Amino acid sequence: FSQATTAPPKKKPDPVTSETVVIWGLRLWQVVGIFALFVLSIIITLCCIFKCRIPRTRKEIEARYAQRQAAKNYADKLDTVPPLNELTEIPG
């Protein structure tokens, strides 16, 4: 059987709330806010660097597709053009 002890019962830890001091004297809500701002700034920076843009309409999607096709056709035509020095040579 268990023996009764005279020691006081163990104290339960305080519940974690938004006002709980977590690190360096900052409260939990402050740490979460700082972390969220940090993550948001990284996302915004990456989107600006890599120009991540989501097309919004079908018209924009089709316009971008047509632009890519036109650029591809132009590049293919440039490959078939002979160098300039061959075009400007005067025979004889």
Side-chain angles (χ1 to χ4, degrees):
F1 300 114
S2 64
Q3 294 178 338
T5 62
T6 57
K10 292 183 180 177
K11 183 183 175 198
K12 291 183 181 178
D14 293 332
V16 177
T17 64
S18 63
E19 292 298 321
T20 304
V21 176
V22 180
I23 186 169
W24 298 319
L26 296 174
R27 299 193 184 326
L28 181 62
W29 67 269
Q30 293 169 326
V31 173
V32 170
I34 291 170
F35 180 74
L37 285 174
F38 178 72
V39 169
L40 186 63
S41 65
I42 288 176
I43 291 171
I44 291 171
T45 303
L46 289 175
C47 286
C48 289
I49 291 172
F50 295 112
K51 294 186 179 182
C52 301
R53 301 291 184 260
I54 300 171
R56 298 182 61 112
T57 64
R58 181 182 179 106
K59 189 175 180 180
E60 287 180 9
I61 293 170
E62 290 172 350
R64 288 182 183 175
Y65 176 76
Q67 187 178 19
R68 283 194 298 268
Q69 290 300 317
K72 183 177 180 252
N73 289 338
Y74 181 73
D76 291 342
K77 296 254 190 231
L78 279 181
D79 289 340
T80 62
V81 175
L84 184 61
N85 60 359
E86 291 180 13
L87 294 174
T88 56
E89 284 182 8
I90 300 173

